[in-house]
Amino acid sequence: RKEVEQDPGPFNVPEGATVAFNCTYSNSASQSFFWYRQDCRKEPKLLMSVYSSGNEDGRFTAQLNRASQYISLLIRDSKLSDSATYLCAVRSSASKIIFGSGTRLSIRP
Amino acid sequence: GAVVSQHPSRVICKSGTSVKIECRSLDFQATTMFWYRQFPKQSLMLMATSNEGSKATYEQGVEKDKFLINHASLTLSTLTVTSAHPEDSSFYICSAPDRTAATNEKLFFGSGTQLSVL
């Protein structure tokens, strides 16, 4: 079983839609959680860290459920510029950061 | 903010040659550097973790004699792909953790190197 599992998509939604991504992790001792955005052949850019209390940054909301070992990302009022691959990442107790397989999102006009 | 400078950004080489990729941390000291590889439409796969002044730790299935990692100083880590073959063609990217935050480490990424082996 992969340490971090993520639905690869692709998701193709109209502009203005709300879209949600989920990611599960297997190591219950994992300590930190993140969502990254990656554009084609570019380095990933940190979108937001994920906290147990949940956190919001504008149209983006991230949630962590430690009991069920998953993290989620919600994008509201999606824009064309949101088209990208979204990667969840988990820092294990060994200090390594492991990425999910990424979910491709395409926003259509 | 902290920056990781990676070069070259793109390499095209013949099969059998060795390719060196450098990652430098600017304005901060990177005692650890993670090296990832990404095949098309796939995620970042951790290859190894380099630590300044000690041997790198390789992930399962990654040949340490094939992918030589050197982390000789607090600001420079290198990955050398030895005797590269077409199947080594991939996007290689380094990253260093931000250790200023006590509980939530972020990663600073280099810009990546696209390696194409003919």
Side-chain angles (χ1 to χ4, degrees):
Chain A
R1 182 187 173 187
K2 288 184 181 178
E3 195 163 341
V4 180
E5 301 253 20
Q6 185 176 359
D7 182 350
F11 285 58
N12 188 310
V13 301
E15 198 172 4
T18 295
V19 62
F21 306 132
N22 288 319
C23 200
T24 59
Y25 60 95
S26 60
N27 186 349
S28 59
S30 298
Q31 300 173 9
S32 305
F33 308 88
F34 311 92
W35 282 102
Y36 282 82
R37 170 198 169 122
Q38 186 180 27
D39 295 290
C40 187
R41 282 293 169 256
K42 301 282 187 183
E43 72 274 23
K45 301 242 186 253
L46 180 65
L47 192 58
M48 53 203 310
S49 302
V50 189
Y51 304 107
S52 296
S53 56
N55 46 307
E56 187 175 310
D57 182 5
R59 298 181 293 109
F60 299 84
T61 301
Q63 293 278 353
L64 165 64
N65 186 318
R66 283 193 182 272
S68 301
Q69 294 182 203
Y70 77 82
I71 62 173
S72 64
L73 176 69
L74 185 76
I75 304 176
R76 291 181 299 278
D77 187 25
S78 53
K79 311 291 184 191
L80 294 175
S81 57
D82 292 334
S83 296
T85 296
Y86 291 83
L87 301 159
C88 60
V90 175
R91 183 168 75 86
S92 68
S93 57
S95 197
K96 298 183 296 187
I97 296 186
I98 305 297
F99 286 84
S101 56
T103 301
R104 293 179 61 199
L105 173 65
S106 294
I107 307 297
R108 61 179 187 268
Chain B
V3 173
V4 175
S5 174
Q6 179 173 351
H7 70 91
S9 59
R10 187 173 181 89
V11 179
I12 300 173
C13 69
K14 292 182 179 179
S15 186
T17 59
S18 294
V19 175
K20 179 187 276 190
I21 301 169
E22 292 189 351
C23 277
R24 293 181 183 274
S25 57
L26 307 180
D27 299 327
F28 75 105
Q29 293 181 334
T31 55
T32 299
M33 191 75 75
F34 299 113
W35 287 94
Y36 293 88
R37 177 169 57 183
Q38 186 176 36
F39 292 109
K41 298 185 180 180
Q42 294 187 26
S43 187
L44 296 157
M45 297 301 296
L46 181 64
M47 298 175 65
T49 303
S50 74
N51 298 291
E52 187 269 335
S54 62
K55 290 184 179 180
T57 303
Y58 289 81
E59 295 301 302
Q60 191 173 11
V62 178
E63 300 174 57
K64 61 181 180 181
D65 295 330
K66 170 80 172 174
F67 301 98
L68 300 178
I69 289 175
N70 185 284
H71 196 146
S73 77
L74 288 171
T75 58
L76 175 64
S77 177
T78 62
L79 167 66
T80 301
V81 183
T82 62
S83 186
H85 291 284
E87 59 266 29
D88 298 323
S89 299
S90 187
F91 186 63
Y92 293 85
I93 191 163
C94 62
S95 67
D98 169 18
R99 298 193 184 279
T100 58
T103 59
N104 215 354
E105 292 181 1
K106 303 173 187 176
L107 289 179
F108 297 108
F109 280 91
S111 54
T113 298
Q114 182 63 52
L115 172 63
S116 300
V117 185
L118 305 177

